Amino acid sequence: MNIIVTGGAGFIGGNFMHYMVNKYPNDNIICIDSLTYAGNMETLEPIKDKKNYKFYKVDITDRKSIYEIFEKEKPDYCINFAAESHVDRSLENPEIFLKTNILGTQVLMDACRKYGIKRYHQVSTDEVYGDLPLERPDLQFDETYPIKTSSPYSASKASADLLVMAYHRTFKLPCTISRCSNNYGPYHFPEKLIPLMISRALNNEKLPVYGEGKNVRDWLYVEDHCRAIDMIVRDGKDGEVYNIGGHAEKANIDIVKIILKKLDKPESLIEFVKDRPGHDLRYAMNPAKIEKELGWKPSVTFEQGIDKTIDWYLNNKPWWEHIISGEYQNYFDKMYGYRMDKK
Ligand code: NAD
Ligand code: TYD
């Protein structure tokens, strides 16, 4: 089997590359990634000498190059992780989100139509459902919940989902979509909540918590997400959407306190800063469909997962120190300078 994985030098795609290359030595796992700021070849270092691994540095919006790869590799499956993924960046520069997340998806699906495919899989997010009120813990998103987005990021992901469904209905493109809650684990870029807080706490730097830290996310250990996608691609029903979630809802402030406690750092490092505009209050996934139909469930609890994640950041300092020592510092000053000035 030939399997194209786009965005495989990023956080989840990178973990998925490791998972697939090791689990399926007889399949060819072909990564396509344009190596934006979020793509990192060091993430793929541990698998780079495996015989079933291949890498192309190509942008998914580059139609000509994508067609050439499809013609050469004749993929059975195409799994699309490639995206601009950070909400805060989408508030600064929405355009690249629309280009990569929507037009890139279109190019990949056109390639699938042109060269034929067993299954195109779109990696989507719970953020397409918008948010839920904090005071209604009884409410959750299931797959029929209306699409109701808040940020340019989530709007671009929802647009891509709609396009996938349109290609399925109109062109009979064989496809599935998964919508997952917040992931955490190894190789997570330190602009997102958990790796940002771990790396800054280890350096005794202030931890910027937006608003009052009451916003709630549902967290899933990244390897459980990888396993779910593998199951959906192989056994999921054509044209279906599957929610994936960790049954682990946590307020941001509680996560930050857990991290500080585990690292034996003082809570005085916490700094409440100006809130994210349009900040989604709560995400809560109902993954009953994938649990019932495919027998998937999370194998790692939040308590186990956060321990594994913190251990990974402690044992892999060069990976994240390379990131935060470079251009990233300018990013931090730009994104947080104003937040910390104007609480
Ligand atoms: P990430 O930002 O860590 O990685 C994205 C990868 O895509 C990077 O390697 C980047 O170089 C690559 N990329 C970006 N634009 C590209 C382009 N035009 N052409 C080729 N490659 C390109 O993102 P992530 O957190 O690993 O998320 C992966 C996918 O999962 C995204 O589609 C995201 O929407 C979805 N998702 C993420 C989460 C989460 O918690 N991180 C949760 C649910 C769904
Ligand atoms: P993030 O990791 O950016 O994921 P998403 O916005 O896709 O859920 O943020 C998770 C939560 O943490 C979100 O409610 C915003 C909050 N947050 C902070 O409080 N401080 C930070 O520095 C960051 C990056 C996020």
Side-chain angles (χ1 to χ4, degrees), residues 11-292:
F11 164 46
I12 308 176
N15 277 280
F16 190 73
M17 285 298 299
H18 286 233
Y19 179 90
M20 296 295 281
V21 162
N22 291 319
K23 183 164 180 199
Y24 299 108
N26 297 323
D27 288 346
N28 295 310
I29 316 297
I30 303 143
C31 177
I32 301 178
D33 199 297
S34 62
L35 299 179
T36 67
Y37 79 93
N40 188 344
M41 289 311 279
E42 287 180 41
T43 297
L44 296 169
E45 188 71 20
I47 55 167
K48 76 171 191 323
D49 295 326
K50 299 273 185 178
K51 282 212 287 292
N52 60 339
Y53 160 80
K54 197 184 257 190
F55 182 85
Y56 288 96
K57 182 180 182 307
V58 165
D59 192 311
I60 58 165
T61 64
D62 175 352
R63 187 175 288 275
K64 184 166 170 288
S65 302
I66 292 292
Y67 283 9
E68 279 166 13
I69 296 172
F70 271 69
E71 186 157 12
K72 179 155 177 249
E73 302 293 349
K74 303 185 175 32
D76 297 283
Y77 298 135
C78 173
I79 305 169
N80 181 24
F81 292 87
E84 289 293 334
S85 68
H86 191 32
V87 172
D88 291 327
R89 287 184 191 253
S90 81
L91 310 182
E92 296 288 308
N93 177 15
E95 194 160 333
I96 184 68
F97 283 74
L98 309 192
K99 183 171 182 241
T100 289
N101 299 3
I102 306 173
L103 298 180
T105 297
Q106 183 209 3
V107 168
L108 291 172
M109 291 194 298
D110 285 345
C112 291
R113 286 186 65 210
K114 187 169 161 73
Y115 296 98
I117 196 93
K118 287 201 178 75
R119 172 70 56 84
Y120 171 83
H121 182 77
Q122 178 73 2
V123 180
S124 185
T125 165
D126 58 358
E127 301 197 25
V128 302
Y129 299 122
D131 64 351
L132 294 165
L134 290 175
E135 63 283 4
R136 288 290 308 272
D138 55 311
L139 296 180
Q140 288 188 321
F141 303 129
D142 66 15
E143 289 81 357
T144 63
Y145 200 88
I147 300 275
K148 187 173 75 53
T149 56
S150 317
S151 70
Y153 164 66
S154 55
S156 69
K157 293 296 290 184
S159 306
D161 284 12
L162 295 176
L163 203 58
V164 176
M165 297 316 291
Y167 269 55
H168 175 69
R169 170 146 178 172
T170 309
F171 304 126
K172 309 278 178 278
L173 179 80
C175 66
T176 36
I177 297 175
S178 55
R179 296 182 179 144
C180 190
S181 58
N182 286 57
N183 284 214
Y184 66 103
Y187 303 109
H188 203 179
F189 195 88
E191 66 183 353
K192 306 280 171 65
L193 180 75
I194 289 182
L196 182 91
M197 298 302 167
I198 296 174
S199 55
R200 289 183 68 82
L202 284 172
N203 285 337
N204 300 309
E205 291 169 320
K206 287 284 184 192
L207 309 185
V209 173
Y210 298 167
E212 295 175 37
K214 289 188 178 152
N215 304 58
V216 170
R217 300 290 183 263
D218 168 36
W219 294 92
L220 181 70
Y221 191 65
V222 63
E223 224 173 81
D224 278 329
H225 187 189
C226 296
R227 192 165 44 83
I229 291 174
D230 184 25
M231 289 170 97
I232 294 168
V233 170
R234 282 161 204 267
D235 300 322
K237 277 199 215 115
D238 184 25
E240 293 286 314
V241 175
Y242 293 90
N243 282 354
I244 309 170
H247 299 292
E249 283 183 51
K250 301 255 178 282
N252 295 337
I253 188 66
D254 294 335
I255 295 208
V256 175
K257 286 183 179 169
I258 290 170
I259 291 170
L260 285 172
K261 193 153 181 241
K262 294 207 183 280
L263 292 176
D264 199 20
K265 299 285 182 182
E267 289 190 5
S268 56
L269 286 179
I270 295 173
E271 181 162 350
F272 292 98
V273 302
K274 194 171 160 41
D275 209 351
R276 172 187 281 171
H279 197 171
D280 278 341
L281 292 170
R282 171 174 168 254
Y283 302 143
M285 281 306 240
N286 178 351
K289 178 173 169 178
I290 187 172
E291 292 179 350
K292 188 160 168 276

